[in-house]
Amino acid sequence: MALSDAREFLSQFAPLSGSTWDAKGRQLDREVSSPYGPATVRYDDRGVPHVSADDERAAYYAVGYVQASDRLFQMDLLRRVMRGELSAVFGDLAVDSDRFHRQMDFVRAAEVTWEAASDGPAAPASEAFADGVNAYRETAERPVEFELLDYEADPWTPVDSILAQKQISWGLTGRFVTLRRTAVADSFDRETANRLYPLPDASNHDAPILRRDDREPNPPGGATGSTTSADAATAGSGDAVDPELVSWLEAFEPPEGIGSNSWVVGGEYTASGNPVVANDPHLDLRVPPIWYEQHVVVDGERDVRGVTFPGVPFVVIGRNDTGAWGFTNTGYDVVDFYTYETRMDGREYRYGDEFREFETRTEVVPVADGDDVDVEVTKSVHGAVLSRGSDGKALSGTTGRVGVQWTGLSAARTVESIYDIGKSAGIDDVLDALRKFDEPTQNFVYADRDGRTLYYTTGQVPVRTTDGEVVTGTRVFDGSAREGEWEGFEPYSDVDWAAANVVPFEEQPHSIDPGYLATANQRIVDDPAYYLSEGYGPPFRGARIYERLDERAASDEPMTAAFLRDVQRDAVDRRLDHLGPVFEDARGEVSGDARRAVDAVLAWDGEMAVDRREPLVYAFWTRKLSEHVFERRFEDAGLDVGTPNDWVLGRLPADSDWFVPADDGDGESDADGDGDDPDRGVVAANALQDALDAIEEEGYATYGDYSTTALTHPFDRGFLNYPEYPTAGGETTVNNFRPESMRGSSWRQVVPVGDDAEPARAVLPGGNDGDPLSNHYADQLDDWAAGRYREFGLDIPDGVDVRFTGGDGE
Amino acid sequence: MTDLASELGATLSNPRRVGLTALAAVVGVALASAHWLGLVVGGALVALPQRSLGRGLLAGFCFGGVVLSVFLVDLAAAGAAGGFLRFGLLRDVAIAMSLGLPTFGALARGLR
């Protein structure tokens, strides 16, 4: 440690004077002046702020203040990601991220969103929230992360709140599957690409969200632009895709398989006769959690409790005094890609009959402890133009560059929508609010006190046309030939969604008053009237939830809240049934311990329990199997892109070429000596041996040794990371946890609506306060890991912790 | 232990020395609250009135104990004692700094 490092360490951590220990300085004052009038904040025993005020702006000023006190660094970090300003604090390791986010120009998209919303109903509360954040930022001690990095947060603005919402929208819908499929088609062939990344297909599985036999599934017929045949998937004139570009871009898209669960159960199936809403979104498990919980009461206007993303003023998932709701990702396709014919050394591109100049500017990215980096921000008529470098070279197909169009690049009314949902008084209000939920595309479930239930998919889905003909968004379009046009859509501007060519709200898949309905990112409906998705998530979780709900509905027992919490904790992996035949093939190829491991897995019930060894072997085996089947071959082809999921793997024919074993030198698997005979058993056995070796190397005995809450803070320092608890569940179970990537149930709620006898319950994977010295830094983590919940009601605790005073409310 | 007790007893038997040591401790805590060097300086200040280097080192160590106590009380008052206990290695290092830096500062008694 250099002397300067030692000094810095001492100034941060020395007892009494160390900036890390200034918990008192970071405590909220008992009385805070507010320009918007009085409000009170009461923290409950889980560190959840309960904010009360007569005036809405007074309440949201207080919300901004408490969010900043608990999560200011996280808010600033998200903002820096989206603004492309990470390198200024973290140095050159963040330059790639900054380059991507600046090229997408999310900031401009957020600015136009705010410009369009600034005279809307949610604007006063959003502005008051920003003022509250700044009041804390200006008066209180810096949170510990700012001390460690020694920088100050810039003033917070309503645009930053929009950026926080854009960040999650991109994280849920910014998918590059079109590019991935195209890159695979280039490296192998079109048929292979379509097999590995299949388009939605009703014959694929029989557990869609809207099932044929359910009451009133409403994917209405009518006008159709459905062209979902696999043949169309990679047909077209788009040029070859640079696989390196795809590989680079994949770092900035949601990871494959990220998803969520939700379900709504009508009163006819519950003991109380009241409906129940359950939701657990599966996102990054971070320190502090990705969600922030708050309860806001504005006298006579709203009484809403739930979770939001730090920096967003309004509850996103939760409940109010009249209903409860939740979201999961739909997997809709709201992103398209374009190539262009160019001239003038790449400065101009053809668009129909004319040449246009790319809109280009150079931005300077400051880099901490390094040289500034220039990033060229380029736009076409479609949206952002992405590239790895900024050398200004002429475009040549997509080699190195690709145009991106995304619904979120325009003004979206999502924040206004969630503002309205929070103060809704029933299903009619909610339906009105959902019309403004422009992004991201989500499965929305809801129930109200009157016993009404609802499922609706939200978000604008463009209807693409080429020469007036409707086309799917499954390939890279020739932008110069005006393929794949989104009529009425203009990136980085306000959009009249009513006039744009999008799937009409009434035609979005939905169900009014369903008996019970479950969503888990699986296919939504068998026969959509419109092209909606380029590929849904695997059906494992959705099938399991429906299995549990169907079984209960067919029994004499009602669906109590306790039963539905049990479903949320269900750790049985239905993927085992799907991959079972592959595992069985391995049995004849192994002996000794490996044979015993195969037999144990095949006899096992599929429950990913912490005290069992079978799930440990199974988890490693499935991962290694994918490596042996796909990753190895992709590497051989020079492809570093996301590989297909296990649903696809399990559907490969046993004699598929993908089951050609790696050359192990013994020649046993190669009947004709040409080295390319498929042998699924050998591949599965090789994967098993790798899995057993890896388990031994790590020293794991049971699944709980591997599946632990090793959640890390962005700084990854021991005192900031969470303690490790073993936890059940796997990547394809309802109780969702991915130890490898630390993703899973980022919030669990089960809310009986209008039923005082059965309290609502919820839990966060961590704690609500981001201060590592706080008692609420990780106080829910052990409950979360063990599958326990705590109350999630609308009662306000006694005693006032912070009183906001002053102001005239004008 | 007997040695330690007798050293402490000898120190406490002189009211003037006790007064100076107490004053030095108060000043030392104040300095340590402002800057980490205060831990070293505080250790030196409480050591200087002592009759020998050994007694000075003991006084420095005891001053470290006072610092640690004030530190923990301060954290507890801010509701952060539980959080501190979760800090693992950093907690242990902070405790070691509380006791070690003043003891190091007490070596100044050897220069008198």
Side-chain angles (χ1 to χ4, degrees):
Chain A
M1 186 186 281
L3 193 58
S4 60
D5 291 339
R7 282 195 190 120
E8 195 178 324
F9 182 85
L10 285 162
S11 68
Q12 289 168 346
F13 300 112
L16 293 181
S17 66
S19 52
T20 303
W21 312 121
D22 193 8
K24 198 179 282 178
R26 295 193 291 272
Q27 275 187 325
L28 293 176
D29 292 331
R30 302 286 295 181
E31 190 164 316
V32 176
S33 172
S34 165
Y36 297 103
T40 57
V41 177
R42 297 167 169 88
Y43 282 96
D44 65 20
D45 58 3
R46 293 296 188 168
V48 178
H50 298 253
V51 177
S52 304
D54 292 336
D55 179 84
E56 182 174 82
R57 289 174 304 167
Y60 280 97
Y61 182 86
V63 170
Y65 196 89
V66 294
Q67 272 200 23
S69 79
D70 290 332
R71 301 290 187 92
L72 185 60
F73 175 72
Q74 191 181 19
M75 292 162 65
D76 190 59
L77 191 64
L78 284 179
R79 168 172 67 167
R80 284 185 174 277
V81 169
M82 292 301 277
R83 287 184 177 276
E85 295 176 350
L86 278 181
S87 311
V89 176
F90 290 95
D92 57 8
L93 61 91
V95 167
D96 263 6
S97 171
D98 285 352
R99 177 179 287 124
F100 169 78
H101 288 91
R102 284 172 187 256
Q103 287 185 348
M104 287 294 293
D105 203 358
F106 290 113
V107 174
R108 184 60 196 145
E111 285 172 350
V112 298
T113 298
W114 174 243
E115 285 162 16
S118 58
D119 56 357
S126 297
E127 287 171 323
F129 173 88
D131 289 343
V133 173
N134 289 323
Y136 178 83
R137 189 185 58 83
E138 289 161 6
T139 57
E141 290 294 321
R142 299 186 295 189
V144 64
E145 293 95 337
F146 293 94
E147 294 289 348
L148 294 174
L149 287 177
D150 194 22
Y151 82 98
E152 303 281 347
D154 292 332
W156 190 263
T157 68
V159 171
D160 293 319
S161 293
I162 305 281
L163 276 174
Q165 178 259 308
K166 293 274 182 200
Q167 201 255 357
I168 195 67
S169 293
W170 174 258
L172 292 169
T173 62
R175 302 171 70 208
F176 296 120
V177 64
T178 307
L179 296 180
R180 197 154 37 246
R181 184 189 282 114
T182 306
V184 170
D186 292 343
S187 294
F188 296 99
D189 54 62
R190 202 170 280 170
E191 190 187 344
T192 300
N194 290 337
R195 180 185 287 275
L196 299 188
Y197 305 93
L199 292 174
D201 176 359
S203 69
N204 201 313
H205 63 81
D206 58 1
I209 293 172
L210 290 167
R211 301 186 295 180
R212 288 186 185 281
D213 298 336
D214 285 348
R215 183 179 52 170
E216 236 189 302
N218 294 325
T224 175
S226 178
T227 49
T228 56
S229 80
D231 291 342
T234 49
S237 51
D239 298 281
V241 170
D242 179 352
E244 282 188 39
L245 175 71
V246 185
S247 172
W248 179 71
L249 289 174
E250 280 185 341
F252 310 108
E253 72 171 338
E256 183 63 36
I258 201 162
S260 313
N261 307 317
S262 72
W263 53 88
V264 57
V265 178
E268 67 205 77
Y269 293 99
T270 65
S272 63
N274 292 313
V276 182
V277 170
N279 187 203
D280 57 300
H282 310 158
L283 300 171
D284 284 344
L285 299 175
R286 301 174 178 167
V287 180
I290 198 167
W291 296 103
Y292 181 77
E293 187 178 353
Q294 60 188 37
H295 178 195
V296 182
V297 181
V298 179
D299 195 29
E301 287 183 39
R302 77 170 65 215
D303 184 353
V304 57
R305 178 173 182 176
V307 286
T308 185
F309 300 104
V312 175
F314 312 112
V315 165
V316 176
I317 291 173
R319 61 170 303 185
N320 63 10
D321 48 348
T322 57
W325 59 93
F327 291 98
T328 63
N329 208 16
T330 56
Y332 281 176
D333 182 4
V334 294
V335 185
D336 277 333
F337 304 92
Y338 301 84
T339 61
Y340 304 99
E341 175 190 337
T342 62
R343 69 177 189 187
M344 303 290 285
D345 205 18
R347 291 195 302 277
E348 294 186 352
Y349 66 103
R350 184 170 69 80
Y351 183 61
D353 297 331
E354 61 182 17
F355 272 86
R356 298 185 178 191
E357 221 173 295
F358 283 112
E359 186 188 317
T360 303
R361 67 172 187 271
T362 300
E363 294 188 358
V364 178
V365 181
V367 180
D369 303 322
D371 296 331
D372 292 352
V373 173
D374 287 347
V375 171
E376 194 173 275
V377 180
T378 307
K379 293 174 186 172
S380 70
V381 66
H382 297 110
V385 177
L386 303 179
S387 65
R388 287 195 71 192
S390 52
D391 52 14
K393 280 186 183 170
L395 292 176
S396 172
T398 56
T399 304
R401 280 188 172 184
V402 63
V404 181
Q405 185 157 234
W406 174 53
T407 48
L409 292 181
S410 64
R413 299 162 294 174
T414 304
V415 170
E416 199 171 301
S417 178
I418 59 171
Y419 167 88
D420 285 348
I421 292 170
K423 64 194 296 188
S424 62
I427 191 170
D428 294 334
D429 286 354
V430 164
L431 281 167
D432 286 343
L434 290 181
R435 289 175 181 275
K436 294 186 282 189
F437 200 99
D438 296 324
E439 57 153 341
T441 42
Q442 295 283 288
N443 296 300
F444 178 83
V445 294
Y446 174 79
D448 70 17
R449 290 185 75 94
D450 296 331
R452 304 291 304 276
T453 56
L454 173 69
Y455 164 75
Y456 226 104
T457 65
T458 71
Q460 306 290 352
V461 183
V463 176
R464 292 90 164 163
T465 58
T466 300
D467 295 329
E469 294 287 317
V470 175
V471 296
T472 62
T474 53
R475 59 194 169 84
V476 178
F477 291 120
D478 181 343
S480 292
R482 301 191 63 161
E483 289 182 351
E485 291 285 288
W486 296 11
E487 291 166 28
F489 176 86
E490 192 178 340
Y492 308 106
S493 71
D494 194 6
V495 169
D496 179 0
W497 293 106
N501 193 4
V502 295
V503 175
F505 182 74
E506 292 75 13
E507 307 249 354
Q508 291 262 21
H510 64 274
S511 186
I512 308 288
D513 292 320
Y516 60 89
L517 183 146
T519 87
N521 319 106
Q522 77 271 44
R523 188 176 72 252
I524 290 170
V525 62
D526 287 345
D527 48 357
Y530 291 83
Y531 165 75
L532 296 171
S533 173
E534 202 169 355
Y536 294 107
F540 305 117
R541 284 180 288 112
R544 177 62 180 167
I545 297 166
Y546 268 133
E547 180 186 344
R548 295 284 310 265
L549 299 184
D550 289 346
E551 197 177 276
R552 188 78 165 199
S555 75
D556 295 333
E557 289 187 88
M559 297 200 206
T560 59
F563 164 73
L564 295 172
R565 288 195 295 271
D566 189 61
V567 176
Q568 213 167 50
R569 293 187 302 251
D570 187 295
V572 172
D573 195 341
R574 281 287 170 251
R575 188 178 46 158
L576 176 64
D577 306 335
H578 188 61
L579 295 178
V582 184
F583 295 154
E584 281 172 15
D585 281 359
R587 196 169 182 278
E589 306 291 337
V590 295
S591 58
D593 285 349
R595 171 74 76 91
R596 280 187 284 281
V598 174
D599 288 342
V601 168
L602 291 174
W604 166 58
D605 61 4
E607 183 167 5
M608 305 292 283
V610 294
D611 56 351
R612 302 284 295 270
R613 183 169 173 81
E614 295 90 336
L616 177 68
V617 174
Y618 168 76
F620 274 71
W621 193 0
T622 51
R623 183 149 54 84
K624 294 294 181 186
L625 186 63
S626 180
E627 288 176 16
H628 276 258
V629 175
F630 295 127
E631 285 181 35
R632 179 175 56 84
R633 296 280 294 280
F634 274 38
E635 275 175 29
D636 291 346
L639 270 177
D640 181 21
V641 301
T643 50
N645 61 44
D646 287 337
W647 178 254
V648 171
L649 194 157
R651 283 171 63 86
L652 293 173
D655 60 352
S656 165
D657 283 348
W658 290 95
F659 291 118
V660 174
D663 181 13
D664 57 6
D666 63 6
E668 285 179 9
S669 62
D670 187 10
D672 58 8
D674 64 358
D676 59 1
D677 279 355
D679 190 330
R680 195 168 71 172
V682 169
V683 171
N686 291 344
L688 173 65
Q689 195 53 59
D690 281 3
L692 295 175
D693 291 347
I695 289 168
E696 189 177 341
E697 194 174 322
E698 295 288 348
Y700 297 143
T702 64
Y703 186 59
D705 294 338
Y706 163 63
S707 179
T708 65
T709 58
L711 277 59
T712 55
H713 185 277
F715 293 178
D716 197 14
R717 293 200 186 186
F719 74 98
L720 293 171
N721 295 340
Y722 279 166
E724 293 188 29
Y725 302 111
T727 189
E731 60 182 280
T732 48
T733 59
V734 180
N735 181 355
N736 200 258
F737 182 61
R738 297 159 184 260
E740 205 62 31
S741 56
M742 283 301 150
R743 297 191 176 91
S745 303
S746 58
W747 164 252
R748 295 186 184 123
Q749 68 170 38
V750 176
V751 185
V753 179
D755 185 355
D756 296 333
E758 281 198 295
R761 292 186 179 276
V763 70
L764 267 180
N768 217 35
D769 193 342
D771 185 344
L773 281 170
S774 165
N775 289 327
H776 305 298
Y777 187 63
D779 59 336
Q780 298 177 55
L781 187 63
D782 56 344
D783 285 342
W784 179 90
R788 294 187 293 263
Y789 297 72
R790 39 78 184 175
E791 288 210 12
F792 179 54
L794 295 177
D795 294 338
I796 294 177
D798 295 332
V800 175
D801 292 295
V802 186
R803 193 178 297 280
F804 290 82
T805 59
D808 54 11
E810 292 302 314
Chain B
M1 191 64 203
T2 310
D3 287 350
L4 193 67
S6 61
E7 291 280 342
L8 206 57
T11 300
L12 293 174
S13 64
N14 184 329
R16 185 167 172 273
R17 186 171 294 127
V18 168
L20 279 174
T21 305
L23 180 64
V26 170
V27 172
V29 168
L31 291 174
S33 299
H35 196 279
W36 62 267
L37 270 175
L39 292 168
V40 182
V41 175
L45 288 178
V46 298
L48 288 174
Q50 311 312 320
R51 281 173 50 193
S52 67
L53 175 61
R55 290 180 183 181
L57 288 173
L58 178 66
F61 185 81
C62 291
F63 171 69
V66 171
V67 166
L68 183 58
S69 303
V70 172
F71 177 53
L72 293 176
V73 167
D74 196 41
L75 284 172
F84 173 70
L85 293 177
R86 284 194 307 271
F87 267 49
L89 179 63
L90 205 55
R91 170 202 58 208
D92 299 341
V93 171
I95 292 171
M97 283 193 282
S98 296
L99 301 171
L101 289 174
T103 308
F104 173 73
L107 288 171
R109 174 62 184 80
L111 302 175
R112 200 181 80 174

